[in-house]
Amino acid sequence: MVENLQTIKGTLYSKDTRKVDNKKDPTQPPYEFMSIKVEYKLDFGGKDRTNIAEMQLDRGVGFEEFSIGDSIGVDYYLFGKKISDTWFKTEARVVHIGFTDRNSTYDNHKGKIKVDAMSNIDTIAEPPKHIEQREKVFVNLSPNEYDDENGDPLPF
């Protein structure tokens, strides 16, 4: 059971990648830290507020398939660490990003898959009428055709 995981639904405002040199081993490529900004609306005491939150992507999470302006849902957790005796830094770490509107029609949604519905459950066993029956290309031979004098069913 996952506890303390939160979800925000909003619009992808920006995508950023920050590269930091590897100080321990300069021959290795630099580290990449990816972050996104999500614009979302908040109803606070009957007033709508628009917020833009910056969130760091956790390991293994990418944003390549998303475009700025996409309607997304983001699952995240809060991560904090002590910087000094008087300052703690808290940031949001994203563990999953997903589309919230697969059937959107706005321009930034180009190239995304649009799904209408599943097959009709009443006709699943029947092939569609407009598709011809295809001939079988490969026909398995019976085991008796492979038997040799030792009774080995394999041809090699």
Side-chain angles (χ1 to χ4, degrees):
M1 181 173 162
V2 178
E3 291 185 24
N4 298 324
L5 195 64
Q6 306 297 320
T7 302
I8 280 185
K9 292 180 181 178
T11 304
L12 183 60
Y13 187 80
S14 73
K15 308 186 296 186
D16 300 313
T17 302
R18 180 173 54 100
K19 293 184 179 184
V20 177
D21 291 331
N22 188 342
K23 293 182 181 178
K24 292 182 181 178
D25 189 0
T27 61
Q28 294 295 322
Y31 295 113
E32 287 188 349
F33 295 98
M34 296 187 292
S35 66
I36 60 172
K37 290 181 183 165
V38 179
E39 180 180 15
Y40 64 98
K41 297 200 183 287
L42 179 66
D43 182 13
F44 187 74
K47 295 180 183 178
D48 284 339
R49 293 186 181 178
T50 301
N51 293 324
I52 299 175
E54 182 176 16
M55 303 176 162
Q56 307 298 321
L57 273 61
D58 213 2
R59 291 184 185 140
V61 180
F63 53 57
E64 292 80 25
E65 70 230 39
F66 302 99
S67 301
I68 294 174
D70 283 345
S71 181
I72 59 173
V74 178
D75 295 333
Y76 70 97
Y77 66 94
L78 295 178
F79 174 78
K81 60 185 172 183
K82 182 178 179 180
I83 303 298
S84 69
D85 288 338
T86 58
W87 182 35
F88 284 85
K89 180 180 177 183
T90 303
E91 61 186 34
R93 293 263 177 106
V94 176
V95 294
H96 179 263
I97 306 172
F99 291 105
T100 58
D101 65 338
R102 284 306 240 179
N103 293 326
S104 180
T105 57
Y106 57 86
D107 293 338
N108 288 338
H109 215 273
K110 60 185 174 249
K112 306 300 187 287
I113 300 170
K114 294 184 179 182
V115 179
D116 289 335
M118 214 173 107
S119 299
N120 184 355
I121 197 161
D122 298 329
T123 61
I124 284 182
E126 301 170 14
K129 305 220 184 319
H130 65 279
I131 297 178
E132 304 173 9
Q133 291 292 336
R134 295 193 166 108
E135 66 180 82
K136 292 185 179 180
V137 176
F138 178 75
V139 179
N140 229 356
L141 298 175
S142 67
N144 295 341
E145 294 179 45
Y146 284 126
D147 286 344
D148 61 0
E149 62 274 356
N150 297 331
D152 188 12
L154 298 176
F156 44 86

